[in-house]
Amino acid sequence: MQNKLVILVVFALFAAVAFRPTKESKTAKAAVKMQDFVIDISKYSRTIDSNFIVIPQNGPELAFEKLNTSGKFRKSYLDAIDGIAVEDLFYDGKPKIDNYRLQVLRKLQKEKQVMVSDFITQEESIETVKAQSSKESSCSIRA
């Protein structure tokens, strides 16, 4: 009887941990919903105007399956978009490179046009940010 109770308790603990929704699974589900939403917008819009352009702002991880930027692209998402726009890649109150997003965008740039907008508030930082953006071959808008 005690062995059955121990097994039952262990199984219950395992089930509670193994099948509990995790932050990652919720994030992955939300990402798939967003990918599907963008794909649906693209499909619908292009039935009305075949030249309709879809350029998501930020969220470059959405281009990858399960948000895994080390993995494969989600082809249906890439087919639905014409480029990706990001902001604050080289400037965030001061010249500062967001290395994580830069690495993701370097991979994505092989497939799609990447457009960067940095809102520069320091006159002396303009040339630094401009040089970094040009070095990365991105279409850069400095505001």
Side-chain angles (χ1 to χ4, degrees):
M1 181 70 160
Q2 255 185 343
N3 288 343
K4 288 181 183 177
L5 184 58
V6 170
I7 291 171
L8 183 59
V9 169
V10 169
F11 178 74
L13 288 172
F14 171 77
V17 171
F19 300 109
R20 182 181 64 206
T22 63
K23 182 179 178 183
E24 291 81 21
S25 67
K26 287 181 181 180
T27 300
K29 287 178 186 176
V32 169
K33 285 182 179 183
M34 182 56 78
Q35 289 168 330
D36 291 343
F37 181 59
V38 171
I39 291 166
D40 289 345
I41 289 171
S42 178
K43 285 180 183 176
Y44 174 77
S45 300
R46 290 174 180 165
T47 63
I48 297 168
D49 179 354
S50 61
N51 295 317
F52 192 86
I53 296 171
V54 178
I55 302 173
Q57 176 76 21
N58 294 320
E61 297 89 351
L62 289 172
F64 297 86
E65 291 182 7
K66 299 179 183 177
L67 302 180
N68 179 2
T69 58
S70 298
K72 299 187 306 184
F73 288 114
R74 181 165 178 203
K75 185 175 176 355
S76 56
Y77 182 81
L78 284 184
D79 290 345
I81 67 172
D82 298 285
I84 181 102
V86 296
E87 56 194 38
D88 302 329
L89 184 63
F90 303 116
Y91 185 89
D92 192 8
K94 62 182 179 192
K96 179 182 174 194
I97 300 170
D98 184 334
N99 286 308
Y100 169 74
R101 288 193 311 150
L102 182 58
Q103 294 304 318
V104 172
L105 293 167
R106 283 177 177 157
K107 293 175 188 176
L108 191 52
Q109 191 171 27
K110 296 173 185 173
E111 303 293 324
K112 295 292 174 178
Q113 175 70 46
V114 173
M115 292 156 271
V116 177
S117 58
D118 284 297
F119 302 96
I120 305 166
T121 57
Q122 300 169 331
E123 186 74 28
E124 64 275 10
S125 299
I126 292 174
E127 290 307 314
T128 303
V129 174
K130 186 177 175 181
Q132 185 63 46
S133 182
S134 295
K135 176 183 167 195
E136 294 298 333
S137 301
S138 56
C139 174
S140 182
I141 302 163
R142 292 163 295 281

